[in-house]
């Protein structure tokens, strides 16, 4: 069974640009959660989507947004990129929001 | 404010040793406490998890000890192997056992020397 797939794996963007990251969950999984991982702040929760609805949101500015499609694939968007947005962005999928979650390998975003 | 505090930051043990990683929390509403293992270039993988109505849970060589009154929990790795060298994260959440709104500790980098 294929795991959680995140694309692209690596991305370099310029400050002020916007970026869209993609997450394809494991087949049959309807919940997708996004996390930001940095050396300084560790793993921080961004948001969770279930059946195309955002169910929970972490403490990030409105520049961070996401969506989920009917096939459960999810995208997150960061607008007006700042240097501090450089991080590994991870998504995790689960059947429901109370079942074991599996993380993807992440997208490494570098803002220059 | 770090909701889950993890120590030590790094740990080096000999093969066969028993590394212990500790975590503490303040929010008594937390009711799910998982541990994740992360290798370089990979996403975190769930190792073992516990709920506050249980004081200990064992899965293979991994054991969680949970002290509800002290608001602390720890991971013990029995008979550690070089392949266990990774970064370990404790986490906590409320009302879910998935990846929704997990509060992670800062991680412990474990090195097991052959």
């Amino acid at each position: 069974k294929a795991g959680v797939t995140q694309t692209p794996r690596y991305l370099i963007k310029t400050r002020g640009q916007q970026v869209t990251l993609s997450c394809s969950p494991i087949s049959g999984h309807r919940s997708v959660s996004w996390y930001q991982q940095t050396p300084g702040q560790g793993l921080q929760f961004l948001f969770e989507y279930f059946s195309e609805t955002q169910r929970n949101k972490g403490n990030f500015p409105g520049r961070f947004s996401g969506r989920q499609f009917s096939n459960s694939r999810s995208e997150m968007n960061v607008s007006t990129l700042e240097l501090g947005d450089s991080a590994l962005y991870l998504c995790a999928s689960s059947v429901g929001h109370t079942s074991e979650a599996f993380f993807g390998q992440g997208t490494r975003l570098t803002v220059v | 404010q770090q909701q889950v505090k993890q120590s030590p930051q790094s740990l080096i043990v000999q093969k066969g040793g028993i590394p212990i990683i500790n975590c503490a929390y303040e929010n008594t509403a937390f009711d799910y406490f998982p541990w994740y293992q992360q290798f370089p270039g990979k996403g975190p993988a769930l190792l073992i998890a516990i709920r506050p109505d249980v004081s200990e849970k064992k899965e293979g060589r991994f054991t969680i000890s949970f002290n509800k009154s002290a608001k602390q929990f720890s991971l013990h790795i029995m008979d550690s192997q070089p392949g266990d060298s990774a970064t370990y994260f404790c986490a906590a959440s409320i009302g879910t056992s998935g990846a929704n709104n997990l509060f992670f500790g800062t991680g412990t980098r474990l090195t097991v020397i052959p």
Side-chain angles (χ1 to χ4, degrees), chain A:
Chain A
K1 178 158 119 171
V4 178
T5 303
Q6 291 189 246
T7 56
R9 288 292 313 277
Y10 302 92
L11 206 48
I12 299 175
K13 288 287 187 178
T14 303
R15 192 171 49 181
Q17 288 186 312
Q18 77 164 21
V19 67
T20 299
L21 312 182
S22 178
C23 173
S24 294
I26 293 171
S27 178
H29 287 195
R30 295 166 63 192
S31 172
V32 174
S33 297
W34 287 88
Y35 284 81
Q36 181 195 65
Q37 185 173 24
T38 60
Q41 299 297 319
L43 282 145
Q44 292 187 289
F45 174 72
L46 281 154
F47 26 68
E48 187 232 2
Y49 285 87
F50 181 82
S51 293
E52 302 179 65
T53 301
Q54 186 182 91
R55 295 178 63 96
N56 213 338
K57 189 177 190 306
N59 190 26
F60 277 81
R63 300 185 297 106
F64 292 82
S65 62
R67 59 178 175 168
Q68 187 179 35
F69 302 95
S70 58
N71 62 358
S72 294
R73 189 178 70 86
S74 177
E75 289 180 347
M76 69 162 280
N77 184 78
V78 188
S79 62
T80 319
L81 283 165
E82 300 177 359
L83 296 178
D85 297 333
S86 295
L88 180 67
Y89 290 88
L90 293 157
C91 80
S93 77
S94 58
V95 173
H97 64 278
T98 59
S99 51
E100 180 183 349
F102 297 85
F103 280 85
Q105 291 188 284
T107 293
R108 172 78 60 186
L109 171 66
T110 302
V111 182
V112 297

Side-chain angles (χ1 to χ4, degrees), chain B residues 11-89:
Chain B
L11 194 50
I12 301 173
V13 299
Q14 296 277 353
K15 177 184 172 183
I18 306 176
I20 300 172
I21 305 170
N22 300 298
C23 287
Y25 63 97
E26 286 299 323
N27 189 344
T28 54
F30 286 143
D31 59 3
Y32 176 67
F33 302 89
W35 284 89
Y36 285 84
Q37 178 189 57
Q38 186 176 28
F39 292 103
K42 303 288 188 183
L46 179 65
L47 261 182
I48 185 173
I50 199 168
R51 293 202 176 269
D53 53 345
V54 176
S55 61
E56 185 176 279
K57 183 174 180 181
K58 188 177 293 188
E59 283 186 10
R61 296 184 294 107
F62 300 94
T63 300
I64 300 179
S65 297
F66 189 86
N67 187 329
K68 188 175 180 179
S69 60
K71 291 183 284 187
Q72 295 175 347
F73 57 111
S74 59
L75 176 71
H76 297 61
I77 305 175
M78 306 302 176
D79 187 28
S80 58
Q81 302 295 313
D84 296 329
S85 297
T87 300
Y88 293 81
F89 294 93

